Amino acid sequence: MQNILSSLGPVTAVIGAQWGDEGKGKVVDMLAERYDIIARACGGANAGHTIVVGAQKHVFHLLPSGCLHPGKTVVLGSGMVIHLPTLLEEIQTLKQARIDIVDRLWIAANAHILLDAHKAVDARQEEQRAQATGEGIGTTKRGIGPAYMEKTGRTGLRMESLLLPEKSLQEALHTQLRHIEELYGIQTDANMEEQNLREARSLLGKRISHDAPAHLAANMSQGKSVLIEGAQGVLLDIDHGTYPYVTSSATTIAGALQGLGIAPQKLTSCIGVAKAYCTRVGAGTFATEADEECQNRLRERGGEYGATTGRPRRCGWLHLPDLNKGAILNGFTHWNITKLDVLDKEESIPVGVGMQDDGTVQWKQMPGWCESTAGITLFEDLPTNAQSYVRFIEEQTGVPAAFIGTGPKREEMITRA
Ligand code: GDP
Ligand code: IMO
Ligand code: MG
């Protein structure tokens, strides 16, 4: 077990290989102990990463999941869009649990500020799409699309603006709000936004890092290790995902490295996280979506309700072409196959192994194991059919399953040598 952990090297990324919610938070929390710096790179509070430690459940939207470990440096990278009240709330919740992270937090000055106005625009756009087409994208309504539009439109407000003199910050905010009002015809609340920025500045002003990539590089050259926590998943990537039913950021390793300003050759390992089946929350294609009865069963066993919005997740089966796509795009060195235990009662498990000429899924039926795998920590202790299921994924993707989740708790994980 030590072998695999030390073979990951000093710069490891954890990337979702499906439509998000694969269980990235859990493996980041588990690995964080061994790293000095834990970093989020992209996305915003659309993410919901759940960690279960003992009887306590924590859900992080902006802070990286490793922040529960004392003494770790926690980074919010340039590629992020940060809703400051959500960040302050997460910091406050941790404080109530006697975990103070302010002094070990760095926030990239280039990260964008996501305003309440962006959330209002997101909600409005979803309504308009639903009216026009009968269905929206099913966004999390956390303002992600509008915030990235401001960013790529070069009109956004960045974290560095919190360091401006009061009057300049006010002017910058008002210019942005006027722009949003003119463009989208919504009402904004300048007083509330101002208040939010002021509160964030007073707590976090000193934590804004002017050259986050150089800061990270300097730490890495002093021997500090970095664990990168991806958000969302490959199939939600703005370029490579199931467009337009995607998020607005690059969710692959390329996006994560860009979002932190880490050079690609520094990366030593990249763990793809995939459920042993598959889920999606929001609209869009889902080739291996199960029938209603199976969906209900998987949803109840897997607790498949969104960590951010509470929406029931659509459930289905593993689709190997998608995992292969993720492996190509990210160069996965290892899999973390999560939630194997959720399949414990399935007599036969369908796996999508390809697409037929008529566009339908080519299925392979894998025998189930009908035994509990909950909490198992040794691969050899898994029922034979569960071992075969994991080996089949490995053979079909050419990526070793180094980590296999057998329950939501931190310690419910098989780590293979
Ligand atoms: P993330 O967004 O990728 O971090 O994943 P989420 O936290 O949104 O959703 C994953 C859910 O599955 C969470 O409720 C986790 O506690 C839970 N989970 C993670 N790994 C396992 C596992 O191996 N088995 C079971 N039963 N639950 C797991
Ligand atoms: P984590 O990090 C699951 C989905 C939304 C919607 C689409 C666009 O927890 O895996 P957005 O609000 O980003 O504009 O929504 O992307 N989505 C996620 N689904 N997990 C996530 O993050 C997601 N982040 C966004 O449901 O379909
Ligand atoms: Mg999630």
Side-chain angles (χ1 to χ4, degrees):
M1 167 165 161
Q2 287 309 314
N3 283 354
I4 170 69
L5 293 176
S6 44
S7 77
L8 294 175
V11 184
T12 296
V14 170
I15 301 288
Q18 295 161 323
W19 280 289
D21 301 332
E22 299 90 349
K24 298 174 291 292
K26 179 186 155 186
V27 66
V28 167
D29 170 62
M30 185 197 98
L31 292 173
E33 204 181 13
R34 303 179 61 90
Y35 291 80
D36 301 304
I37 299 170
I38 327 292
R40 269 279 307 265
C42 290
N46 47 350
H49 297 176
T50 313
I51 294 160
V52 183
V53 186
Q56 187 88 32
K57 178 169 149 181
H58 304 262
V59 181
F60 295 106
H61 300 287
L62 289 166
L63 290 172
S65 305
C67 65
L68 289 180
H69 294 268
K72 305 294 173 184
T73 300
V74 171
V75 177
L76 302 184
S78 309
M80 290 188 72
V81 286
I82 300 174
H83 182 243
L84 293 167
T86 304
L87 179 58
L88 294 187
E89 199 182 310
E90 286 191 3
I91 292 172
Q92 186 56 28
T93 307
L94 280 179
K95 203 164 175 193
Q96 280 159 5
R98 298 216 176 85
I99 301 173
D100 204 338
I101 62 135
V102 172
D103 291 342
R104 48 192 175 95
L105 178 66
W106 317 338
I107 309 173
N110 293 359
H112 278 247
I113 297 174
L114 187 150
L115 300 169
D116 281 347
H118 294 123
K119 293 172 72 168
V121 173
D122 192 359
R124 165 74 69 88
Q125 288 182 329
E126 274 292 275
E127 261 169 44
Q128 288 169 341
R129 280 189 285 257
Q131 273 165 12
T133 64
E135 173 183 72
I137 290 173
T139 73
T140 58
K141 300 196 181 144
R142 295 299 187 270
I144 304 299
Y148 278 112
M149 280 176 70
E150 297 289 333
K151 172 178 171 168
T152 50
R154 293 155 294 181
T155 50
L157 210 55
R158 308 204 292 184
M159 285 302 294
E160 62 192 356
S161 63
L162 291 188
L163 303 177
L164 291 170
E166 176 77 22
K167 203 160 174 345
S168 311
L169 173 60
Q170 255 182 26
E171 273 168 19
L173 173 67
H174 284 249
T175 306
Q176 163 114 89
L177 292 177
R178 259 199 315 278
H179 172 76
I180 292 174
E181 287 185 356
E182 280 164 18
L183 201 60
Y184 302 106
I186 63 151
Q187 288 285 331
T188 65
D189 184 341
N191 286 338
M192 187 179 60
E193 305 273 16
E194 251 178 65
Q195 177 66 17
N196 290 345
L197 297 191
R198 266 195 225 108
E199 278 177 24
R201 179 173 57 188
S202 96
L203 188 71
L204 301 174
K206 292 206 174 82
R207 310 314 307 160
I208 297 173
S209 166
H210 272 293
D211 194 350
H215 201 161
L216 264 175
N219 274 269
M220 280 153 59
S221 63
Q222 285 161 18
K224 294 273 197 310
S225 55
V226 183
L227 180 61
I228 302 170
E229 177 173 347
Q232 290 76 51
V234 170
L235 303 174
L236 289 171
D237 181 83
I238 184 73
D239 293 307
H240 302 288
T242 48
Y243 191 90
Y245 299 97
V246 293
T247 190
S248 299
S249 57
T251 60
T252 58
I253 185 60
L257 294 173
Q258 166 76 0
L260 286 165
I262 295 180
Q265 70 269 30
K266 297 280 182 205
L267 188 74
T268 51
S269 51
C270 184
I271 301 171
V273 188
K275 280 176 187 163
Y277 50 102
C278 193
T279 63
R280 170 164 210 174
V281 59
T285 174
F286 185 171
T288 54
E289 189 163 15
D291 62 37
E292 202 179 321
E293 195 192 322
C294 292
Q295 287 213 42
N296 290 340
R297 203 169 62 231
L298 289 172
R299 187 176 303 117
E300 291 318 309
R301 286 207 197 122
E304 296 297 355
Y305 295 89
T308 297
T309 59
R311 290 178 290 177
R313 295 175 182 148
R314 297 159 65 191
C315 297
W317 309 107
L318 202 59
H319 194 219
L320 291 172
D322 287 339
L323 296 199
N324 277 317
K325 176 176 172 159
I328 289 170
L329 290 170
N330 294 281
F332 290 142
T333 54
H334 306 84
W335 287 119
N336 172 202
I337 302 297
T338 65
K339 305 187 97 163
L340 190 69
D341 54 297
V342 174
L343 298 180
D344 282 353
K345 291 191 177 152
E346 300 296 319
E347 283 173 13
S348 176
I349 305 165
V351 175
V353 292
M355 295 304 277
Q356 308 192 92
D357 292 344
D358 65 359
T360 57
V361 174
Q362 188 186 339
W363 294 100
K364 180 176 168 72
Q365 291 293 331
M366 299 293 289
W369 42 92
C370 297
E371 258 181 76
S372 174
T373 61
I376 288 182
T377 54
L378 290 174
F379 188 73
E380 307 78 68
D381 291 347
L382 285 177
T384 316
N385 286 350
Q387 293 189 17
S388 304
Y389 189 77
V390 173
R391 288 212 173 95
F392 182 64
I393 298 170
E394 296 183 309
E395 279 158 25
Q396 295 289 311
T397 58
V399 177
F403 306 98
I404 301 161
T406 57
K409 290 192 185 144
R410 200 182 250 181
E411 61 282 2
E412 291 175 321
M413 184 83 93
I414 295 170
T415 301
R416 287 161 86 194

